[in-house]
Coordinates of all heavy atoms in Angstrom, one line a residue:
M456 N 189.7 93.6 -22.7 CA 189.4 93.6 -24.1 C 190.2 92.4 -24.8 O 191.3 92.2 -24.3 CB 189.6 94.9 -24.8 CG 188.8 95.9 -24.4 SD 189.0 97.3 -25.5 CE 187.6 98.3 -25.2
T457 N 189.7 91.8 -25.9 CA 190.4 90.8 -26.6 C 190.4 91.1 -28.0 O 189.4 91.6 -28.6 CB 189.6 89.5 -26.3 OG1 189.6 89.3 -25.0 CG2 190.4 88.4 -27.0
Y458 N 191.5 90.8 -28.7 CA 191.6 90.9 -30.2 C 190.7 89.9 -30.8 O 190.8 88.7 -30.5 CB 193.0 90.7 -30.6 CG 193.2 90.7 -32.1 CD1 193.3 91.9 -32.8 CD2 193.4 89.5 -32.8 CE1 193.4 91.9 -34.1 CE2 193.5 89.6 -34.2 CZ 193.6 90.7 -34.8 OH 193.8 90.7 -36.2
I459 N 189.7 90.3 -31.6 CA 188.8 89.4 -32.2 C 188.8 89.3 -33.8 O 188.0 88.7 -34.3 CB 187.3 89.6 -31.7 CG1 186.9 91.1 -32.1 CG2 187.2 89.3 -30.3 CD1 185.5 91.3 -31.8
G460 N 189.7 90.1 -34.4 CA 189.7 90.0 -35.9 C 190.4 91.2 -36.5 O 190.9 92.1 -35.7
S461 N 190.5 91.3 -37.7 CA 191.2 92.4 -38.4 C 190.3 92.8 -39.6 O 189.8 91.9 -40.3 CB 192.5 91.9 -38.9 OG 193.1 92.9 -39.7
G462 N 190.3 94.1 -39.9 CA 189.5 94.6 -41.0 C 190.4 94.5 -42.3 O 189.9 94.7 -43.4
I463 N 191.7 94.1 -42.1 CA 192.6 94.0 -43.2 C 192.5 92.6 -43.8 O 192.8 91.7 -43.0 CB 194.0 94.4 -42.9 CG1 194.0 95.9 -42.3 CG2 194.9 94.2 -44.0 CD1 195.3 96.3 -41.7
P464 N 192.2 92.4 -45.1 CA 192.1 91.1 -45.6 C 193.5 90.3 -45.7 O 194.4 91.0 -45.9 CB 191.4 91.2 -47.0 CG 191.7 92.6 -47.3 CD 191.9 93.4 -46.0
D465 N 193.4 89.0 -45.6 CA 194.6 88.2 -45.8 C 195.0 88.2 -47.2 O 196.2 88.1 -47.6 CB 194.4 86.8 -45.3 CG 194.1 86.7 -43.8 OD1 194.7 87.6 -43.1 OD2 193.4 85.8 -43.4
M466 N 194.0 88.2 -48.1 CA 194.3 88.1 -49.6 C 193.2 88.9 -50.3 O 192.0 88.9 -49.9 CB 194.1 86.7 -49.9 CG 194.4 86.4 -51.5 SD 194.4 84.7 -52.0 CE 192.8 84.1 -51.5
T467 N 193.6 89.6 -51.3 CA 192.7 90.3 -52.3 C 193.0 89.7 -53.6 O 194.1 89.3 -53.9 CB 192.8 91.8 -52.3 OG1 194.2 92.2 -52.7 CG2 192.4 92.4 -50.9
Y468 N 192.0 89.6 -54.5 CA 192.2 88.9 -55.8 C 191.3 89.5 -56.8 O 190.3 90.2 -56.5 CB 192.0 87.4 -55.7 CG 190.7 87.0 -55.0 CD1 189.5 86.9 -55.7 CD2 190.7 86.7 -53.6 CE1 188.4 86.5 -55.1 CE2 189.5 86.4 -53.0 CZ 188.4 86.3 -53.8 OH 187.2 85.9 -53.2
G469 N 191.6 89.3 -58.0 CA 190.8 89.8 -59.1 C 191.1 89.0 -60.4 O 192.2 88.5 -60.6
A470 N 190.2 89.0 -61.4 CA 190.4 88.4 -62.6 C 189.6 89.1 -63.7 O 188.5 89.6 -63.4 CB 190.0 86.9 -62.6
T471 N 190.1 89.1 -64.9 CA 189.4 89.6 -66.1 C 189.3 88.5 -67.2 O 190.5 88.0 -67.5 CB 190.0 90.9 -66.6 OG1 190.0 91.8 -65.6 CG2 189.2 91.4 -67.8
I472 N 188.2 88.2 -67.8 CA 188.2 87.3 -68.8 C 187.6 88.0 -70.1 O 186.5 88.6 -69.9 CB 187.3 86.1 -68.5 CG1 187.9 85.3 -67.3 CG2 187.1 85.2 -69.7 CD1 187.0 84.2 -66.7
N473 N 188.2 88.0 -71.1 CA 187.8 88.6 -72.4 C 187.6 87.5 -73.5 O 188.6 86.8 -73.7 CB 188.8 89.7 -72.9 CG 188.8 90.9 -72.0 OD1 187.8 91.4 -71.7 ND2 190.0 91.3 -71.6
L474 N 186.5 87.4 -74.1 CA 186.2 86.4 -75.1 C 185.7 87.1 -76.3 O 184.8 88.0 -76.1 CB 185.3 85.3 -74.6 CG 185.7 84.5 -73.4 CD1 184.6 83.5 -72.9 CD2 187.0 83.7 -73.7
E475 N 186.0 86.7 -77.5 CA 185.5 87.3 -78.7 C 185.3 86.2 -79.8 O 186.3 85.4 -79.9 CB 186.4 88.4 -79.3 CG 185.8 89.1 -80.5 CD 186.7 90.2 -80.9 OE1 187.6 90.8 -80.1 OE2 186.6 90.7 -82.1
Y476 N 184.2 86.2 -80.4 CA 183.9 85.2 -81.4 C 183.0 85.8 -82.5 O 181.8 86.1 -82.2 CB 183.3 83.9 -80.8 CG 183.0 82.8 -81.8 CD1 184.1 82.1 -82.4 CD2 181.8 82.6 -82.2 CE1 183.9 81.1 -83.3 CE2 181.5 81.6 -83.2 CZ 182.6 80.8 -83.6 OH 182.3 79.8 -84.6
K477 N 183.4 85.9 -83.8 CA 182.6 86.3 -84.9 C 181.9 87.6 -84.6 O 180.7 87.8 -84.8 CB 181.7 85.3 -85.3 CG 182.4 84.1 -85.9 CD 181.3 83.1 -86.5 CE 182.0 81.9 -87.1 NZ 181.1 81.0 -87.8
G478 N 182.6 88.6 -84.1 CA 181.9 89.9 -83.9 C 181.2 90.1 -82.5 O 180.7 91.2 -82.2
F479 N 181.1 89.0 -81.8 CA 180.5 89.1 -80.4 C 181.6 89.0 -79.4 O 182.6 88.3 -79.5 CB 179.6 87.9 -80.2 CG 178.4 87.9 -81.0 CD1 178.3 87.1 -82.2 CD2 177.3 88.7 -80.8 CE1 177.2 87.2 -83.0 CE2 176.2 88.7 -81.6 CZ 176.1 87.9 -82.7
D480 N 181.4 89.9 -78.4 CA 182.4 89.8 -77.3 C 181.8 89.7 -75.9 O 180.6 90.0 -75.8 CB 183.3 91.1 -77.4 CG 182.5 92.4 -77.1 OD1 181.3 92.3 -77.0 OD2 183.2 93.5 -77.0
F481 N 182.6 89.2 -75.0 CA 182.1 88.9 -73.7 C 183.2 89.3 -72.7 O 184.4 88.9 -72.9 CB 181.7 87.4 -73.6 CG 181.4 87.0 -72.1 CD1 180.1 87.3 -71.6 CD2 182.3 86.4 -71.3 CE1 179.7 86.9 -70.4 CE2 182.0 86.1 -70.0 CZ 180.7 86.3 -69.6
T482 N 183.0 90.1 -71.7 CA 183.9 90.4 -70.7 C 183.4 90.2 -69.4 O 182.3 90.6 -69.0 CB 184.3 92.0 -70.9 OG1 184.8 92.2 -72.2 CG2 185.4 92.3 -69.8
L483 N 184.2 89.6 -68.5 CA 183.7 89.2 -67.1 C 184.9 89.7 -66.2 O 186.0 89.4 -66.4 CB 183.6 87.7 -67.0 CG 183.1 87.3 -65.7 CD1 181.6 87.3 -65.7 CD2 183.6 85.8 -65.4
F484 N 184.4 90.5 -65.2 CA 185.3 90.9 -64.1 C 185.0 90.2 -62.8 O 183.8 90.0 -62.5 CB 185.2 92.4 -63.9 CG 185.6 93.3 -65.1 CD1 184.6 93.8 -65.8 CD2 186.9 93.5 -65.4 CE1 185.0 94.7 -67.0 CE2 187.3 94.2 -66.5 CZ 186.3 94.9 -67.2
A485 N 185.9 89.8 -62.1 CA 185.8 89.3 -60.7 C 186.8 89.9 -59.8 O 187.9 90.1 -60.2 CB 186.0 87.7 -60.8
A486 N 186.3 90.2 -58.6 CA 187.2 90.8 -57.6 C 186.7 90.3 -56.2 O 185.5 90.1 -56.1 CB 187.1 92.3 -57.7
G487 N 187.6 90.2 -55.3 CA 187.1 89.8 -54.0 C 188.2 89.9 -52.9 O 189.4 90.4 -53.2
S488 N 187.9 89.6 -51.8 CA 188.8 89.5 -50.7 C 188.5 88.4 -49.7 O 187.4 88.0 -49.7 CB 188.9 90.9 -49.9 OG 187.7 91.0 -49.1
K489 N 189.5 88.0 -49.0 CA 189.3 86.8 -48.0 C 190.1 87.1 -46.7 O 191.2 87.6 -46.8 CB 189.8 85.5 -48.7 CG 189.7 84.3 -47.8 CD 190.3 83.1 -48.6 CE 190.1 81.9 -47.8 NZ 190.3 81.9 -46.3
G490 N 189.5 86.7 -45.6 CA 190.2 86.8 -44.4 C 190.1 88.0 -43.5 O 190.8 88.2 -42.6
N491 N 189.1 88.9 -43.9 CA 188.9 90.1 -43.1 C 187.6 89.9 -42.2 O 186.7 89.1 -42.6 CB 188.9 91.3 -43.9 CG 187.9 91.4 -44.9 OD1 187.6 90.4 -45.6 ND2 187.2 92.5 -45.1
D492 N 187.5 90.6 -41.2 CA 186.4 90.7 -40.4 C 185.8 92.1 -40.3 O 186.5 93.0 -40.4 CB 186.7 90.3 -38.9 CG 187.2 88.9 -38.8 OD1 186.6 88.0 -39.4 OD2 188.2 88.6 -38.2
V493 N 184.4 92.2 -40.3 CA 183.8 93.4 -40.2 C 182.8 93.6 -39.0 O 182.2 92.6 -38.6 CB 183.0 93.7 -41.5 CG1 183.9 93.9 -42.7 CG2 182.0 92.7 -41.8
L494 N 182.7 94.7 -38.5 CA 181.8 95.0 -37.4 C 180.6 95.5 -37.9 O 180.5 96.5 -38.6 CB 182.4 96.0 -36.4 CG 181.5 96.4 -35.2 CD1 181.3 95.3 -34.2 CD2 182.1 97.6 -34.6
M495 N 179.4 94.8 -37.7 CA 178.2 95.2 -38.2 C 177.7 96.4 -37.4 O 177.3 96.3 -36.3 CB 177.2 94.0 -38.2 CG 175.9 94.2 -39.0 SD 174.7 95.3 -38.3 CE 174.1 94.4 -37.0
G496 N 177.8 97.6 -38.0 CA 177.5 98.8 -37.3 C 176.1 99.3 -37.6 O 175.8 100.5 -37.2
L497 N 175.2 98.6 -38.1 CA 173.8 99.0 -38.3 C 173.0 99.2 -37.0 O 172.1 100.0 -37.0 CB 173.1 98.1 -39.3 CG 173.6 98.1 -40.7 CD1 172.8 97.1 -41.5 CD2 173.5 99.4 -41.4
F498 N 173.3 98.4 -36.1 CA 172.6 98.5 -34.8 C 173.4 99.4 -33.9 O 174.5 99.2 -33.5 CB 172.5 97.1 -34.1 CG 171.6 97.2 -32.9 CD1 170.2 97.0 -33.1 CD2 172.1 97.5 -31.7 CE1 169.4 97.0 -32.0 CE2 171.3 97.6 -30.5 CZ 169.9 97.4 -30.7
R499 N 172.8 100.5 -33.5 CA 173.4 101.5 -32.7 C 172.4 101.7 -31.5 O 171.2 102.0 -31.7 CB 173.7 102.8 -33.3 CG 174.8 102.6 -34.3 CD 175.1 103.9 -35.1 NE 175.2 105.0 -34.1 CZ 175.5 106.2 -34.6 NH1 175.7 106.5 -35.9 NH2 175.5 107.2 -33.7
T500 N 172.9 101.7 -30.3 CA 172.0 101.8 -29.1 C 171.5 103.3 -29.0 O 170.5 103.6 -28.4 CB 172.6 101.4 -27.8 OG1 173.9 102.1 -27.7 CG2 173.0 99.9 -27.9
D501 N 172.3 104.2 -29.6 CA 171.9 105.6 -29.5 C 170.9 106.0 -30.6 O 170.4 107.1 -30.6 CB 173.1 106.5 -29.6 CG 173.8 106.4 -30.9 OD1 173.8 105.3 -31.5 OD2 174.5 107.4 -31.3
R502 N 170.4 105.0 -31.5 CA 169.5 105.3 -32.5 C 168.4 104.2 -32.5 O 168.5 103.3 -33.3 CB 170.1 105.4 -33.9 CG 171.2 106.5 -33.9 CD 171.5 106.7 -35.3 NE 171.5 108.2 -35.5 CZ 171.9 108.7 -36.6 NH1 172.5 108.0 -37.5 NH2 171.9 110.0 -36.8
P503 N 167.5 104.2 -31.6 CA 166.6 103.2 -31.5 C 165.6 102.9 -32.6 O 165.0 101.9 -32.7 CB 165.8 103.4 -30.2 CG 165.9 104.9 -30.1 CD 167.2 105.3 -30.6
T504 N 165.4 103.9 -33.5 CA 164.4 103.8 -34.6 C 165.0 103.4 -35.9 O 164.3 103.5 -37.0 CB 163.6 105.1 -34.7 OG1 164.5 106.2 -35.0 CG2 162.8 105.3 -33.4
V505 N 166.3 103.1 -36.0 CA 167.0 102.8 -37.3 C 166.6 101.4 -37.7 O 166.3 100.5 -36.9 CB 168.5 103.0 -37.1 CG1 169.3 102.6 -38.3 CG2 168.8 104.4 -36.7
N506 N 166.6 101.2 -39.0 CA 166.2 99.8 -39.6 C 167.3 98.9 -39.1 O 168.5 99.2 -39.0 CB 166.3 99.9 -41.1 CG 165.1 100.6 -41.6 OD1 164.1 100.8 -41.0 ND2 165.2 101.2 -42.8
R507 N 166.8 97.6 -38.8 CA 167.7 96.6 -38.4 C 167.4 95.3 -39.2 O 166.4 95.1 -39.8 CB 167.5 96.3 -36.9 CG 167.9 97.5 -36.1 CD 167.6 97.2 -34.7 NE 168.1 98.2 -33.8 CZ 167.4 99.3 -33.6 NH1 166.2 99.5 -34.2 NH2 167.8 100.3 -32.9
F508 N 168.4 94.3 -39.2 CA 168.2 93.1 -39.9 C 167.0 92.4 -39.2 O 167.0 92.3 -38.0 CB 169.4 92.2 -39.8 CG 170.6 92.7 -40.6 CD1 171.9 92.8 -40.1 CD2 170.4 93.1 -42.0 CE1 172.9 93.2 -40.8 CE2 171.5 93.5 -42.7 CZ 172.7 93.7 -42.2
A509 N 166.2 91.8 -40.0 CA 165.1 91.0 -39.5 C 165.5 89.8 -38.5 O 164.8 89.5 -37.6 CB 164.2 90.5 -40.6
T510 N 166.7 89.3 -38.8 CA 167.2 88.2 -38.0 C 167.3 88.6 -36.5 O 167.0 87.7 -35.6 CB 168.6 87.8 -38.5 OG1 168.5 87.5 -39.9 CG2 169.2 86.6 -37.7
Y511 N 167.6 89.9 -36.2 CA 167.7 90.2 -34.8 C 166.3 90.1 -34.1 O 166.3 90.2 -32.9 CB 168.3 91.6 -34.7 CG 169.7 91.7 -35.0 CD1 170.2 92.3 -36.1 CD2 170.6 91.0 -34.2 CE1 171.6 92.4 -36.4 CE2 172.0 91.0 -34.5 CZ 172.5 91.6 -35.6 OH 173.7 91.7 -35.9
Y512 N 165.2 90.1 -34.8 CA 163.9 90.0 -34.3 C 163.3 88.7 -34.4 O 162.6 88.1 -33.5 CB 163.0 91.1 -34.7 CG 163.5 92.5 -34.4 CD1 164.4 93.2 -35.2 CD2 163.2 93.0 -33.1 CE1 164.8 94.4 -34.8 CE2 163.7 94.2 -32.7 CZ 164.6 94.9 -33.5 OH 165.1 96.1 -33.1
T513 N 163.6 88.0 -35.5 CA 162.9 86.7 -35.7 C 163.7 85.5 -35.0 O 163.1 84.5 -34.6 CB 162.9 86.3 -37.2 OG1 164.2 86.3 -37.7 CG2 162.1 87.3 -38.0
D514 N 164.9 85.8 -34.6 CA 165.7 84.8 -34.0 C 166.2 85.2 -32.6 O 167.1 84.7 -32.1 CB 166.9 84.3 -34.8 CG 167.5 83.0 -34.4 OD1 166.8 82.2 -33.7 OD2 168.7 82.8 -34.6
R515 N 165.3 86.1 -31.9 CA 165.7 86.5 -30.6 C 165.0 85.6 -29.6 O 164.1 85.0 -29.9 CB 165.4 88.0 -30.4 CG 163.9 88.2 -30.5 CD 163.6 89.6 -30.2 NE 162.1 89.8 -30.4 CZ 161.5 91.0 -30.3 NH1 162.2 92.0 -30.3 NH2 160.2 91.0 -30.4
W516 N 165.5 85.7 -28.4 CA 165.0 85.0 -27.2 C 163.6 85.7 -26.8 O 163.6 86.9 -26.7 CB 165.9 84.9 -26.1 CG 165.4 84.1 -25.0 CD1 165.6 82.8 -24.8 CD2 164.5 84.4 -23.9 NE1 164.9 82.2 -23.7 CE2 164.2 83.3 -23.1 CE3 163.8 85.7 -23.6 CZ2 163.4 83.3 -22.1 CZ3 163.0 85.7 -22.5 CH2 162.8 84.5 -21.7
T517 N 162.6 84.8 -26.7 CA 161.4 85.2 -26.1 C 160.9 84.0 -25.3 O 161.4 82.9 -25.4 CB 160.3 85.6 -27.2 OG1 160.1 84.4 -28.0 CG2 160.7 86.7 -28.1
P518 N 159.9 84.2 -24.5 CA 159.4 83.1 -23.7 C 158.8 82.0 -24.6 O 159.0 80.8 -24.3 CB 158.2 83.7 -22.9 CG 158.7 85.1 -22.7 CD 159.3 85.5 -23.9
E519 N 158.4 82.4 -25.8 CA 157.9 81.3 -26.7 C 159.0 80.7 -27.6 O 158.9 79.6 -28.2 CB 156.9 81.9 -27.7 CG 155.6 82.4 -27.0 CD 155.8 83.8 -26.3 OE1 156.6 84.6 -26.8 OE2 155.1 84.1 -25.4
N520 N 160.2 81.4 -27.7 CA 161.3 81.0 -28.6 C 162.6 80.9 -27.7 O 163.5 81.6 -27.8 CB 161.5 82.0 -29.7 CG 162.5 81.6 -30.7 OD1 162.8 80.4 -30.8 ND2 163.0 82.4 -31.5
T521 N 162.6 79.9 -26.8 CA 163.7 79.7 -25.9 C 164.9 79.1 -26.5 O 166.0 79.1 -25.9 CB 163.3 78.9 -24.7 OG1 162.8 77.6 -25.2 CG2 162.2 79.5 -23.8
S522 N 164.8 78.6 -27.8 CA 166.0 78.0 -28.4 C 166.6 79.0 -29.4 O 167.4 78.6 -30.3 CB 165.5 76.7 -29.2 OG 164.6 77.0 -30.2
A523 N 166.3 80.3 -29.3 CA 166.9 81.3 -30.1 C 168.4 81.4 -30.0 O 168.9 81.0 -29.0 CB 166.2 82.6 -29.9
T524 N 169.1 81.9 -31.0 CA 170.5 82.1 -31.0 C 170.9 83.5 -30.5 O 172.0 83.8 -30.2 CB 171.2 81.8 -32.3 OG1 170.6 82.7 -33.3 CG2 170.9 80.4 -32.7
L525 N 169.9 84.5 -30.5 CA 170.2 85.8 -30.1 C 169.5 86.1 -28.7 O 168.5 85.6 -28.5 CB 169.8 86.8 -31.2 CG 170.5 86.7 -32.5 CD1 169.8 87.6 -33.6 CD2 172.0 87.0 -32.3
P526 N 170.1 87.1 -28.0 CA 169.4 87.5 -26.7 C 168.1 88.2 -26.9 O 167.8 88.6 -28.0 CB 170.5 88.3 -26.0 CG 171.2 89.0 -27.1 CD 171.2 87.9 -28.2
K527 N 167.4 88.5 -25.8 CA 166.1 89.2 -25.9 C 166.4 90.6 -26.4 O 167.5 91.1 -26.4 CB 165.5 89.2 -24.5 CG 166.2 89.8 -23.4 CD 165.5 89.6 -22.1 CE 166.2 90.3 -21.0 NZ 165.5 90.3 -19.7
A528 N 165.4 91.3 -26.8 CA 165.4 92.6 -27.4 C 166.0 93.7 -26.6 O 166.7 94.6 -27.1 CB 164.1 92.9 -28.0
D529 N 165.7 93.7 -25.3 CA 166.2 94.8 -24.5 C 167.5 94.4 -23.8 O 167.7 94.8 -22.6 CB 165.1 95.1 -23.4 CG 164.8 93.9 -22.5 OD1 165.2 92.8 -22.9 OD2 164.2 94.1 -21.4
V530 N 168.4 93.7 -24.5 CA 169.7 93.3 -24.0 C 170.6 94.5 -23.6 O 170.4 95.5 -24.2 CB 170.3 92.3 -25.0 CG1 170.7 93.1 -26.2 CG2 171.5 91.5 -24.4
D531 N 171.5 94.2 -22.8 CA 172.5 95.2 -22.4 C 173.2 95.7 -23.6 O 173.6 94.9 -24.5 CB 173.5 94.6 -21.4 CG 174.5 95.5 -20.8 OD1 174.9 96.5 -21.5 OD2 174.8 95.4 -19.7
P532 N 173.4 97.0 -23.8 CA 174.0 97.6 -24.9 C 175.5 97.1 -25.2 O 176.0 97.1 -26.3 CB 174.1 99.1 -24.6 CG 173.1 99.4 -23.6 CD 172.9 98.1 -22.8
R533 N 176.1 96.5 -24.2 CA 177.5 96.0 -24.4 C 177.5 94.8 -25.4 O 178.5 94.5 -26.0 CB 178.1 95.6 -23.1 CG 178.4 96.7 -22.2 CD 179.0 96.3 -20.9 NE 177.8 95.7 -20.2 CZ 178.0 95.3 -18.9 NH1 179.1 95.4 -18.3 NH2 176.9 94.8 -18.3
Y534 N 176.3 94.1 -25.5 CA 176.2 93.0 -26.5 C 176.6 93.5 -27.9 O 177.2 92.8 -28.7 CB 174.8 92.4 -26.4 CG 174.6 91.3 -27.4 CD1 175.0 90.0 -27.3 CD2 173.9 91.7 -28.7 CE1 174.8 89.1 -28.2 CE2 173.7 90.7 -29.6 CZ 174.1 89.4 -29.4 OH 174.0 88.5 -30.4
W535 N 176.1 94.7 -28.2 CA 176.2 95.1 -29.6 C 177.6 95.7 -29.9 O 177.9 96.0 -31.0 CB 175.1 96.2 -29.9 CG 173.8 95.7 -29.6 CD1 173.0 96.0 -28.6 CD2 173.1 94.7 -30.4 NE1 171.8 95.3 -28.6 CE2 171.9 94.5 -29.7 CE3 173.4 93.9 -31.5 CZ2 171.0 93.5 -30.2 CZ3 172.5 93.0 -32.0 CH2 171.3 92.8 -31.3
T536 N 178.5 95.7 -28.9 CA 179.9 96.0 -29.3 C 180.8 94.8 -28.9 O 182.0 95.0 -28.6 CB 180.3 97.2 -28.4 OG1 180.1 97.0 -27.0 CG2 179.6 98.5 -28.8
S537 N 180.2 93.6 -28.9 CA 181.0 92.4 -28.6 C 181.3 91.7 -29.9 O 180.9 92.1 -31.1 CB 180.2 91.5 -27.7 OG 179.1 90.9 -28.4
D538 N 181.8 90.5 -29.9 CA 182.1 89.7 -31.0 C 180.8 89.1 -31.6 O 180.9 88.5 -32.7 CB 183.1 88.6 -30.8 CG 182.6 87.5 -29.8 OD1 181.6 87.8 -29.1 OD2 183.3 86.5 -29.6
A539 N 179.7 89.3 -31.0 CA 178.4 88.8 -31.5 C 178.0 89.5 -32.9 O 177.2 89.1 -33.6 CB 177.3 89.0 -30.5
V540 N 178.6 90.7 -33.0 CA 178.3 91.5 -34.3 C 179.5 91.6 -35.2 O 179.5 92.5 -36.1 CB 177.7 92.9 -33.9 CG1 176.4 92.8 -33.3 CG2 178.7 93.7 -33.1
V541 N 180.4 90.7 -35.1 CA 181.6 90.6 -36.0 C 181.3 89.5 -37.0 O 181.1 88.4 -36.6 CB 182.9 90.4 -35.2 CG1 184.0 90.3 -36.2 CG2 183.2 91.6 -34.3
Y542 N 181.4 89.8 -38.2 CA 181.1 88.8 -39.3 C 182.3 88.8 -40.2 O 183.1 89.7 -40.4 CB 179.9 89.3 -40.1 CG 178.6 89.3 -39.2 CD1 178.2 90.5 -38.6 CD2 177.9 88.2 -39.0 CE1 177.0 90.5 -37.8 CE2 176.7 88.2 -38.3 CZ 176.3 89.4 -37.7 OH 175.2 89.4 -36.9
S543 N 182.3 87.7 -41.0 CA 183.3 87.6 -42.1 C 183.1 88.6 -43.1 O 181.9 88.8 -43.6 CB 183.2 86.1 -42.7 OG 184.1 86.1 -43.8
G544 N 184.1 89.2 -43.6 CA 184.0 90.2 -44.7 C 184.5 89.7 -46.0 O 184.6 90.4 -47.0
S545 N 184.7 88.4 -46.1 CA 185.2 87.8 -47.3 C 184.0 87.9 -48.4 O 182.8 87.8 -48.1 CB 185.5 86.4 -47.1 OG 186.6 86.2 -46.2
F546 N 184.4 88.2 -49.7 CA 183.4 88.3 -50.6 C 184.1 88.0 -52.0 O 185.3 88.1 -52.2 CB 182.8 89.7 -50.7 CG 183.7 90.8 -51.2 CD1 183.6 91.1 -52.6 CD2 184.5 91.4 -50.3 CE1 184.5 92.1 -53.0 CE2 185.4 92.4 -50.8 CZ 185.4 92.8 -52.1
L547 N 183.2 87.7 -53.0 CA 183.6 87.6 -54.4 C 182.5 88.4 -55.2 O 181.3 88.1 -55.1 CB 183.6 86.1 -54.9 CG 183.8 86.0 -56.4 CD1 185.1 86.5 -56.9 CD2 183.6 84.5 -56.8
K548 N 182.9 89.3 -56.0 CA 181.9 90.1 -56.8 C 182.2 89.9 -58.2 O 183.4 89.9 -58.7 CB 182.1 91.6 -56.5 CG 181.2 92.5 -57.3 CD 181.3 93.9 -56.9 CE 182.6 94.5 -57.3 NZ 182.6 96.0 -57.2
I549 N 181.2 89.5 -59.0 CA 181.3 89.2 -60.4 C 180.5 90.2 -61.2 O 179.3 90.5 -60.9 CB 180.9 87.8 -60.7 CG1 181.7 86.8 -60.0 CG2 180.9 87.5 -62.2 CD1 181.3 85.3 -60.1
K550 N 181.1 90.8 -62.2 CA 180.4 91.7 -63.1 C 180.6 91.3 -64.6 O 181.8 91.2 -65.0 CB 180.8 93.1 -62.9 CG 180.1 94.2 -63.7 CD 180.5 95.6 -63.4 CE 179.7 96.6 -64.2 NZ 180.1 97.9 -64.0
Q551 N 179.5 91.3 -65.3 CA 179.6 90.9 -66.7 C 179.3 92.1 -67.6 O 178.3 92.8 -67.3 CB 178.6 89.7 -67.0 CG 178.7 89.3 -68.5 CD 177.6 89.9 -69.3 OE1 176.5 90.2 -68.9 NE2 177.9 90.1 -70.5
I552 N 180.1 92.4 -68.6 CA 179.8 93.5 -69.5 C 179.5 93.0 -70.9 O 180.1 92.1 -71.4 CB 181.0 94.5 -69.5 CG1 181.2 95.1 -68.1 CG2 180.8 95.5 -70.5 CD1 182.4 96.0 -68.1

């Protein structure tokens, strides 16, 4: 096994902006994190009928699509617990009130 990432972000951040002018007000909240990795757990080999991202089917290897970036559909279950399903967890969320 190899260390492939951390779920703990390197940095978390947030900001609030409050503006007011002649009786009108505007508030904006922003929050996010950077530098964490997440394991995409939507694909489980023990639940074959669960919804999945369309990318896993549209960009999979088939005899007609040999330049695909993902393996064929009946791939070994070990693929789904590899770094192939680890994604960046960095995000920025903005909410206006």
